Amino acid sequence: MSRLLSAMKMDVTIQVRTQLYTIGIVAGVIIAIAVSQLTGPEYLFSIIPTLILLVVGGSTLLYVAALILFEKDEGTLNALIVSPLRTSEYLWSKIITLTALATLESVIMISGAMLIMRFSGEVTTPNIPLLLTGIIAIGVIYTLIGIVLIVRFDKITDFLMPMTGVAVVLQLPFLYFLGWVKHPALLIIPTSAPTVLMQGAYIQLAAWEWFYAIGYTTVLIIGLTVWAYRAFNTHIITKVR
């Protein structure tokens, strides 16, 4: 536990130094203002989950790539091989700290938009624990997918094209949640399940939606965690040794 906490402290320090927190906070404020001016409280049930899917999730994918590439260049990953820090602890440090950053950005965006909207009318407060659960779940999923992808590359320029393709697919469910394309095939995409959880914080869900959102999210996190661990060992640990 002490090794994990030390790794998390280092990760947060790097994230602060590289201005990720500044970027996240500023982005959250800007989006909050935009949402409050461009839509009404009655549409938050679809707008908020969709924005977190598109904006916060996309930025998390970039953050994890930038951090791991930075550590590759600095030789940190080489030092990891001979350090007492376990691979699982290194990965969970990234998952926890980047998900916390995504959650902070989301909270600023949501609370800021609601606060501004309250000046012009009543705003219904969502189910906060459920909303946070969905935000955390989508942050974890995006971080794990980012790890699976980035360990295969040494330069951000090589990573951008594959990442763009994956990001487009992961963000396609926005069509479903805005009501533009109600095809069930979009629910197969990993980011759909936690987005349904977030939507459930605003509106009533059917029984099958609860089963899908909770069950599929759980299966995805477990499966992606195993995949990320194996990918890191294959493309980082094995190559250094």
Side-chain angles (χ1 to χ4, degrees):
M1 181 62 72
S2 61
R3 293 192 301 265
L4 175 59
L5 291 176
S6 296
M8 289 171 58
K9 182 179 178 181
M10 180 62 69
D11 278 339
V12 171
T13 300
I14 293 173
Q15 290 162 22
V16 171
R17 287 178 180 174
T18 53
Q19 303 297 314
L20 294 189
Y21 274 85
T22 301
I23 294 169
I25 291 171
V26 171
V29 171
I30 292 173
I31 295 170
I33 295 171
V35 169
S36 67
Q37 300 303 307
L38 297 176
T39 190
E42 66 274 18
Y43 299 110
L44 290 181
F45 76 94
S46 62
I47 296 298
I48 292 299
T50 302
L51 283 174
I52 293 172
L53 167 68
L54 292 172
V55 180
V56 179
S59 62
T60 302
L61 200 62
L62 279 174
Y63 292 163
V64 67
L67 286 174
I68 291 181
L69 285 179
F70 173 78
E71 292 182 347
K72 275 188 176 184
D73 292 339
E74 293 293 309
T76 304
L77 294 183
N78 290 342
L80 173 67
I81 307 304
V82 295
S83 73
L85 187 68
R86 297 172 181 170
T87 299
S88 59
E89 293 167 337
Y90 170 86
L91 294 177
W92 275 110
S93 176
K94 292 288 183 293
I95 294 165
I96 293 170
T97 57
L98 287 171
T99 300
L101 177 56
T103 303
L104 174 63
E105 185 176 347
S106 300
V107 168
I108 291 172
M109 180 183 74
I110 297 166
S111 59
M114 290 177 61
L115 182 62
I116 297 171
M117 286 179 174
R118 286 187 189 278
F119 287 103
S120 57
E122 185 177 352
V123 179
T124 302
T125 302
N127 183 319
I128 294 176
L130 185 58
L131 183 60
L132 286 175
T133 299
I135 292 170
I136 291 169
I138 204 165
V140 171
I141 287 172
Y142 265 110
T143 303
L144 287 168
I145 291 173
I147 292 170
V148 169
L149 288 175
I150 195 58
V151 294
R152 293 166 164 78
F153 301 93
D154 295 319
K155 297 179 181 179
I156 192 69
T157 51
D158 297 333
F159 171 73
L160 284 177
M161 285 301 293
M163 186 215 71
T164 301
V166 171
V168 168
V169 173
L170 292 176
Q171 294 174 340
L172 274 179
F174 86 90
L175 298 169
Y176 182 91
F177 294 104
L178 289 180
W180 295 350
V181 179
K182 280 294 185 180
H183 198 288
L186 291 172
L187 296 178
I188 300 173
I189 298 172
T191 49
S192 293
T195 307
V196 170
L197 278 178
M198 289 185 281
Q199 200 167 53
Y202 290 92
I203 60 174
Q204 290 290 330
L205 298 179
W208 73 266
E209 289 176 308
W210 285 115
F211 180 79
Y212 159 79
I214 296 171
Y216 195 29
T217 297
T218 302
V219 170
L220 283 169
I221 290 175
I222 293 172
L224 287 170
T225 299
V226 174
W227 191 8
Y229 181 85
R230 290 179 177 175
F232 191 87
N233 276 326
T234 300
H235 297 280
I236 302 295
I237 304 297
T238 303
K239 287 185 179 181
V240 171
R241 287 175 177 171

